[in-house]
Amino acid sequence: MILFERRTETSRTWTTISFAVAILAGLAATAVLLASTGADVLQVFGALVKGAVGSPKALATTLVKATPLILTGLATVVAFRAQIWSIGQEGQVFAGAMGGYLGAQLLAGLPALLFFPGVLAFGIAGGMAVAWLSALLRNRFGVNEIISTVMLNYMAVYLLSWLLQGGPWGETGGTISYHQSPMLPDAAFLPALMGSSRLHAGVLLPFLVAAICALVMARTPLGFEIRGLGYNPEALRHKGVNIGRTVTLIMLSSGALAALAGAIELFGVTHRLRADNLIGLGYAGIIVGMIGGLSAWGTVLAGLFFGALASGAVYMRVLGDVPAALVPAIQGITLFFFLCAGVLARYRIVRVVVQ
């Protein structure tokens, strides 16, 4: 028992060291990339920090941009910890926004205490419906979830495109048709926090959801089944667990979290359905979850980091005079070094166990 505890402590220390080195290596590689463009590295990093946390307005923007990334990252954590390789977060974000917009039409006129929980529930139901289709295809027909979720992503995007372009939700003006829905009424906007027009109440939800996810993973039977399905599904089956039911619950939970991101973006940020505001949130969430080490609080930190990158990007481009494509390049560099750190951490664990 003493040896087991010592090994666990050593592996955690090595993991921490590995990820700290990954951060430093990512910053160094980014600096080299910046220098290759002829930019002033210190000036660019200073502009990035100023745009991310340099003022209350910048900090509010960082939190707003981090909110959907944390939620889609947590959706990734729930699925990937069970080795269910769902890539459907993108389509589920779209489904959550569409479900929320439908709910806003059906629940218009209700008091705020009923309206907002209701429209968020509609959004969550949309994401869960998409996730349920993938679970059904896997459990009933043996369809790999990577294939089904990617295909459903396209279906969700094209459904929204049809609804907005010539469909019932498109906004028209004279003879012009816009690729967006009409603006929601002011009563459907998520309440602002601290008198800020940017900071909405939805930014609090990722932290609450992360706490719930951490608790579920560590302290509940569902969390045990998620971890067991990831480690050894055969042992879980012999224990009497219905694997198909567990897969469905996991995919529904993941779909609900990703859909919540889409609904919050609709009611807190865009206030109308527009595909260009939702594109990429689900795929970015996969990166956030991976960089967060597939842990709830790690995902929160990774989401805040990516939110800071997105928030500071404007300052970085204007004050640092760097190409707009540099931000996704920084994200890719960061992911690469964190994945390398994960490999190193696993190698250290194996070596210690052998000893």
Side-chain angles (χ1 to χ4, degrees), residues 10 15 53 78 136 169 193 222-223 236 252 254 282 312 318 329 334 346:
T10 303
T15 300
V53 295
V78 170
L136 177 67
W169 289 353
L193 297 178
L222 178 59
L236 199 64
L252 288 176
S254 178
V318 175
T334 305
R346 287 196 296 271

Side-chain angles (χ1 to χ4, degrees), residues 78-79 82-86 128 131-140 143-145 148-149 222 225-226 228-230 233 236-237 241-255:
V78 170
Q83 291 196 20
I84 297 175
W85 309 117
S86 171
M128 292 177 72
W132 176 81
L133 286 173
S134 279
L136 177 67
L137 290 171
R138 169 174 164 148
N139 292 333
R140 183 68 62 86
V143 177
N144 186 283
E145 65 272 12
S148 63
T149 51
L222 178 59
E225 292 181 11
I226 291 173
L229 190 61
L236 199 64
R237 183 178 288 108
V241 174
N242 186 324
I243 300 298
R245 179 189 63 85
T246 300
V247 167
T248 300
L249 284 175
I250 292 170
M251 296 192 77
L252 288 176
S253 301
S254 178

Side-chain angles (χ1 to χ4, degrees), residues 101-301:
Y101 190 79
L102 175 62
Q105 293 182 318
L106 298 177
L107 303 179
L110 287 180
L113 289 177
L114 296 177
F115 176 81
F116 288 113
V119 294
L120 292 180
F122 266 86
I124 288 171
M128 292 177 72
V130 175
W132 176 81
L133 286 173
S134 279
L136 177 67
L137 290 171
R138 169 174 164 148
N139 292 333
R140 183 68 62 86
F141 304 105
V143 177
N144 186 283
E145 65 272 12
I146 297 176
I147 297 173
S148 63
T149 51
V150 169
M151 293 301 101
L152 286 169
N153 284 347
Y154 284 107
M155 292 177 65
V157 172
Y158 288 137
L159 175 59
L160 179 58
S161 179
W162 173 78
L163 288 170
L164 298 181
Q165 190 71 28
W169 289 353
E171 182 182 33
T172 58
T175 59
I176 301 175
S177 177
Y178 301 97
H179 204 76
Q180 61 186 20
S181 70
M183 183 71 75
L184 291 170
D186 291 349
F189 293 11
L190 282 172
L193 297 178
M194 300 167 55
S196 170
S197 60
R198 293 174 177 266
L199 196 64
H200 56 78
V203 301
L204 302 176
L205 284 178
F207 302 97
L208 174 62
V209 171
I212 294 172
C213 284
L215 180 64
V216 168
M217 286 288 190
R219 303 292 182 184
T220 67
L222 178 59
F224 169 79
E225 292 181 11
I226 291 173
R227 300 194 310 273
L229 190 61
Y231 290 137
N232 194 333
E234 286 302 318
L236 199 64
R237 183 178 288 108
H238 285 299
K239 192 178 182 297
V241 174
N242 186 324
I243 300 298
R245 179 189 63 85
T246 300
V247 167
T248 300
L249 284 175
I250 292 170
M251 296 192 77
L252 288 176
S253 301
S254 178
L257 293 175
L260 186 58
I264 289 176
E265 278 295 289
L266 171 63
F267 294 104
V269 179
T270 62
H271 306 129
R272 65 166 85 227
L273 276 178
R274 290 182 58 182
D276 56 345
N277 292 100
L278 302 173
I279 288 175
L281 293 179
Y283 294 127
I286 296 175
I287 298 176
V288 167
M290 295 293 291
I291 289 179
L294 296 183
S295 70
W297 293 115
T299 298
V300 170
L301 293 177

